[in-house]
Short mmCIF file of all heavy atoms in Angstrom, two decimals:
data_model
loop_
_atom_site.label_atom_id
_atom_site.label_comp_id
_atom_site.label_asym_id
_atom_site.label_seq_id
_atom_site.Cartn_x
_atom_site.Cartn_y
_atom_site.Cartn_z
N PHE A 1 0.80 -1.22 0.00
CA PHE A 1 0.00 0.00 0.00
C PHE A 1 0.84 1.27 0.00
O PHE A 1 0.30 2.36 -0.17
CB PHE A 1 -0.95 0.01 1.21
CG PHE A 1 -1.86 -1.18 1.24
CD1 PHE A 1 -1.60 -2.25 2.08
CD2 PHE A 1 -2.97 -1.25 0.41
CE1 PHE A 1 -2.42 -3.35 2.10
CE2 PHE A 1 -3.80 -2.36 0.42
CZ PHE A 1 -3.53 -3.42 1.27
N GLY A 2 2.14 1.15 0.22
CA GLY A 2 3.01 2.31 0.22
C GLY A 2 2.80 3.26 1.38
O GLY A 2 3.18 4.42 1.30
N LEU A 3 2.19 2.77 2.46
CA LEU A 3 1.91 3.60 3.63
C LEU A 3 2.47 2.96 4.89
O LEU A 3 2.56 1.74 4.99
CB LEU A 3 0.40 3.79 3.81
CG LEU A 3 -0.34 4.55 2.71
CD1 LEU A 3 -1.84 4.53 2.99
CD2 LEU A 3 0.16 5.97 2.61
N PHE A 4 2.82 3.81 5.86
CA PHE A 4 3.33 3.34 7.14
C PHE A 4 2.15 3.02 8.05
O PHE A 4 1.29 3.87 8.29
CB PHE A 4 4.23 4.40 7.78
CG PHE A 4 4.82 3.98 9.09
CD1 PHE A 4 5.87 3.08 9.13
CD2 PHE A 4 4.31 4.47 10.28
CE1 PHE A 4 6.41 2.68 10.34
CE2 PHE A 4 4.84 4.08 11.49
CZ PHE A 4 5.90 3.19 11.52
N PHE A 5 2.10 1.81 8.56
CA PHE A 5 1.04 1.38 9.47
C PHE A 5 1.39 1.85 10.87
O PHE A 5 2.42 1.48 11.42
CB PHE A 5 0.93 -0.15 9.43
CG PHE A 5 -0.16 -0.70 10.27
CD1 PHE A 5 -1.45 -0.77 9.80
CD2 PHE A 5 0.10 -1.15 11.56
CE1 PHE A 5 -2.48 -1.29 10.58
CE2 PHE A 5 -0.92 -1.68 12.36
CZ PHE A 5 -2.20 -1.74 11.86
N ASP A 6 0.53 2.68 11.45
CA ASP A 6 0.89 3.33 12.70
C ASP A 6 -0.17 3.20 13.80
O ASP A 6 -0.22 4.03 14.71
CB ASP A 6 1.20 4.80 12.46
CG ASP A 6 0.00 5.56 11.91
OD1 ASP A 6 -1.00 4.92 11.53
OD2 ASP A 6 0.05 6.80 11.88
N ILE A 7 -1.01 2.17 13.73
CA ILE A 7 -1.99 1.98 14.79
C ILE A 7 -1.62 0.73 15.60
O ILE A 7 -0.90 -0.14 15.11
CB ILE A 7 -3.44 1.89 14.25
CG1 ILE A 7 -3.61 0.69 13.32
CG2 ILE A 7 -3.83 3.19 13.56
CD1 ILE A 7 -5.04 0.47 12.86
N PRO A 8 -2.10 0.64 16.84
CA PRO A 8 -1.76 -0.52 17.67
C PRO A 8 -2.29 -1.85 17.11
O PRO A 8 -3.31 -1.87 16.43
CB PRO A 8 -2.43 -0.21 19.01
CG PRO A 8 -2.69 1.25 19.00
CD PRO A 8 -2.87 1.63 17.57
N VAL A 9 -1.59 -2.91 17.43
CA VAL A 9 -2.00 -4.27 17.09
C VAL A 9 -2.24 -5.01 18.40
O VAL A 9 -1.40 -4.99 19.29
CB VAL A 9 -0.92 -5.00 16.26
CG1 VAL A 9 -1.33 -6.44 16.00
CG2 VAL A 9 -0.65 -4.25 14.97
N VAL A 10 -3.40 -5.66 18.50
CA VAL A 10 -3.79 -6.36 19.71
C VAL A 10 -4.10 -7.81 19.37
O VAL A 10 -4.81 -8.08 18.41
CB VAL A 10 -5.05 -5.71 20.34
CG1 VAL A 10 -5.51 -6.47 21.57
CG2 VAL A 10 -4.80 -4.24 20.66
N ILE A 11 -3.53 -8.73 20.13
CA ILE A 11 -3.89 -10.14 20.02
C ILE A 11 -5.06 -10.34 20.98
O ILE A 11 -4.90 -10.21 22.19
CB ILE A 11 -2.72 -11.07 20.39
CG1 ILE A 11 -1.48 -10.74 19.56
CG2 ILE A 11 -3.13 -12.53 20.23
CD1 ILE A 11 -1.67 -10.77 18.06
N ASN A 12 -6.24 -10.62 20.42
CA ASN A 12 -7.45 -10.67 21.22
C ASN A 12 -7.96 -12.12 21.32
O ASN A 12 -8.53 -12.64 20.36
CB ASN A 12 -8.52 -9.78 20.58
CG ASN A 12 -9.77 -9.70 21.42
OD1 ASN A 12 -10.00 -10.48 22.32
ND2 ASN A 12 -10.61 -8.72 21.09
N PRO A 13 -7.76 -12.77 22.45
CA PRO A 13 -8.20 -14.16 22.60
C PRO A 13 -9.71 -14.35 22.56
O PRO A 13 -10.20 -15.46 22.45
CB PRO A 13 -7.62 -14.58 23.95
CG PRO A 13 -7.38 -13.32 24.68
CD PRO A 13 -7.11 -12.26 23.65
N ARG A 14 -10.47 -13.26 22.65
CA ARG A 14 -11.93 -13.36 22.57
C ARG A 14 -12.42 -13.54 21.13
O ARG A 14 -13.58 -13.87 20.92
CB ARG A 14 -12.58 -12.13 23.18
CG ARG A 14 -12.35 -12.01 24.67
CD ARG A 14 -12.92 -10.73 25.19
NE ARG A 14 -12.46 -9.66 24.31
CZ ARG A 14 -12.42 -8.38 24.61
NH1 ARG A 14 -12.82 -7.99 25.78
NH2 ARG A 14 -11.98 -7.49 23.77
N LEU A 15 -11.54 -13.31 20.15
CA LEU A 15 -11.95 -13.49 18.75
C LEU A 15 -12.01 -14.98 18.44
O LEU A 15 -10.99 -15.64 18.30
CB LEU A 15 -10.99 -12.78 17.80
CG LEU A 15 -10.94 -11.26 17.88
CD1 LEU A 15 -9.97 -10.71 16.85
CD2 LEU A 15 -12.31 -10.65 17.68
N LYS A 16 -13.21 -15.51 18.36
CA LYS A 16 -13.41 -16.93 18.11
C LYS A 16 -13.96 -17.18 16.70
O LYS A 16 -13.58 -18.12 16.04
CB LYS A 16 -14.40 -17.54 19.12
CG LYS A 16 -13.98 -17.36 20.56
CD LYS A 16 -12.76 -18.17 20.91
CE LYS A 16 -12.47 -18.06 22.40
NZ LYS A 16 -11.14 -18.43 22.73
N ARG A 17 -14.87 -16.32 16.26
CA ARG A 17 -15.51 -16.50 14.95
C ARG A 17 -14.85 -15.69 13.85
O ARG A 17 -15.14 -15.89 12.68
CB ARG A 17 -16.98 -16.11 15.03
CG ARG A 17 -17.77 -17.02 15.90
CD ARG A 17 -19.22 -16.66 15.81
NE ARG A 17 -19.98 -17.38 16.81
CZ ARG A 17 -21.28 -17.34 16.88
NH1 ARG A 17 -21.96 -16.63 16.01
NH2 ARG A 17 -21.90 -18.01 17.81
N THR A 18 -14.05 -14.75 14.22
CA THR A 18 -13.38 -13.91 13.23
C THR A 18 -11.88 -14.01 13.46
O THR A 18 -11.42 -14.21 14.58
CB THR A 18 -13.87 -12.45 13.32
OG1 THR A 18 -13.33 -11.70 12.25
CG2 THR A 18 -13.49 -11.80 14.63
N LEU A 19 -11.13 -13.89 12.38
CA LEU A 19 -9.68 -14.02 12.48
C LEU A 19 -9.00 -12.70 12.77
O LEU A 19 -7.90 -12.67 13.31
CB LEU A 19 -9.13 -14.62 11.18
CG LEU A 19 -9.71 -15.97 10.79
CD1 LEU A 19 -9.13 -16.43 9.47
CD2 LEU A 19 -9.48 -16.99 11.88
N GLY A 20 -9.65 -11.60 12.40
CA GLY A 20 -9.08 -10.28 12.63
C GLY A 20 -10.12 -9.22 12.39
O GLY A 20 -11.17 -9.48 11.78
N ARG A 21 -9.82 -8.02 12.85
CA ARG A 21 -10.73 -6.89 12.60
C ARG A 21 -9.99 -5.59 12.84
O ARG A 21 -9.01 -5.53 13.58
CB ARG A 21 -11.98 -6.98 13.47
CG ARG A 21 -11.72 -6.85 14.95
CD ARG A 21 -12.99 -7.02 15.73
NE ARG A 21 -12.74 -6.95 17.17
CZ ARG A 21 -13.63 -7.19 18.09
NH1 ARG A 21 -14.87 -7.52 17.75
NH2 ARG A 21 -13.33 -7.10 19.37
N ILE A 22 -10.51 -4.56 12.19
CA ILE A 22 -10.03 -3.20 12.42
C ILE A 22 -11.07 -2.51 13.29
O ILE A 22 -12.26 -2.50 12.97
CB ILE A 22 -9.86 -2.42 11.09
CG1 ILE A 22 -8.73 -3.01 10.26
CG2 ILE A 22 -9.63 -0.94 11.35
CD1 ILE A 22 -7.33 -2.75 10.77
N ILE A 23 -10.62 -1.96 14.40
CA ILE A 23 -11.48 -1.17 15.26
C ILE A 23 -11.35 0.28 14.80
O ILE A 23 -10.23 0.78 14.63
CB ILE A 23 -11.07 -1.30 16.74
CG1 ILE A 23 -11.06 -2.77 17.19
CG2 ILE A 23 -11.96 -0.44 17.64
CD1 ILE A 23 -12.39 -3.45 17.11
N TYR A 24 -12.48 0.95 14.58
CA TYR A 24 -12.42 2.32 14.09
C TYR A 24 -13.47 3.17 14.77
O TYR A 24 -14.39 2.67 15.39
CB TYR A 24 -12.60 2.36 12.56
CG TYR A 24 -13.94 1.88 12.06
CD1 TYR A 24 -14.98 2.77 11.84
CD2 TYR A 24 -14.18 0.53 11.81
CE1 TYR A 24 -16.21 2.33 11.38
CE2 TYR A 24 -15.39 0.08 11.36
CZ TYR A 24 -16.41 0.99 11.14
OH TYR A 24 -17.64 0.56 10.68
N ARG A 25 -13.28 4.48 14.64
CA ARG A 25 -14.28 5.41 15.15
C ARG A 25 -14.81 6.21 13.98
O ARG A 25 -14.08 6.52 13.03
CB ARG A 25 -13.74 6.31 16.26
CG ARG A 25 -12.66 7.24 15.86
CD ARG A 25 -12.16 8.05 17.08
NE ARG A 25 -10.88 8.62 16.79
CZ ARG A 25 -10.69 9.79 16.17
NH1 ARG A 25 -11.73 10.50 15.80
NH2 ARG A 25 -9.48 10.24 15.93
N LYS A 26 -16.09 6.49 14.06
CA LYS A 26 -16.76 7.22 12.99
C LYS A 26 -17.04 8.64 13.47
O LYS A 26 -17.55 8.84 14.58
CB LYS A 26 -18.07 6.50 12.66
CG LYS A 26 -18.71 6.91 11.39
CD LYS A 26 -19.88 5.98 11.09
CE LYS A 26 -20.45 6.33 9.74
NZ LYS A 26 -21.53 5.43 9.35
N THR A 27 -16.68 9.60 12.64
CA THR A 27 -16.95 11.01 12.94
C THR A 27 -17.60 11.65 11.72
O THR A 27 -17.77 11.00 10.69
CB THR A 27 -15.65 11.78 13.27
OG1 THR A 27 -14.86 11.86 12.08
CG2 THR A 27 -14.86 11.10 14.39
N LYS A 28 -17.92 12.92 11.83
CA LYS A 28 -18.47 13.65 10.68
C LYS A 28 -17.50 13.67 9.51
O LYS A 28 -17.90 13.68 8.36
CB LYS A 28 -18.80 15.08 11.08
CG LYS A 28 -19.91 15.23 12.05
CD LYS A 28 -20.12 16.69 12.38
CE LYS A 28 -20.81 16.85 13.70
NZ LYS A 28 -20.91 18.24 14.11
#
């Protein structure tokens, strides 16, 4: 993608049905 990835990465043991996800916030 040619971009620097700069957000935290969390290993979440509660993820059972999904392998990964991006947590985001929605604003205007």
Side-chain angles (χ1 to χ4, degrees):
F1 302 101
L3 296 175
F4 182 76
F5 183 84
D6 62 349
I7 62 174
V9 176
V10 177
I11 306 304
N12 185 345
R14 294 175 312 200
L15 294 181
K16 303 291 186 199
R17 294 186 190 186
T18 187
L19 303 178
R21 65 183 178 187
I22 293 288
I23 304 298
Y24 64 93
R25 65 183 162 86
K26 194 172 185 177
T27 68
K28 293 179 202 174

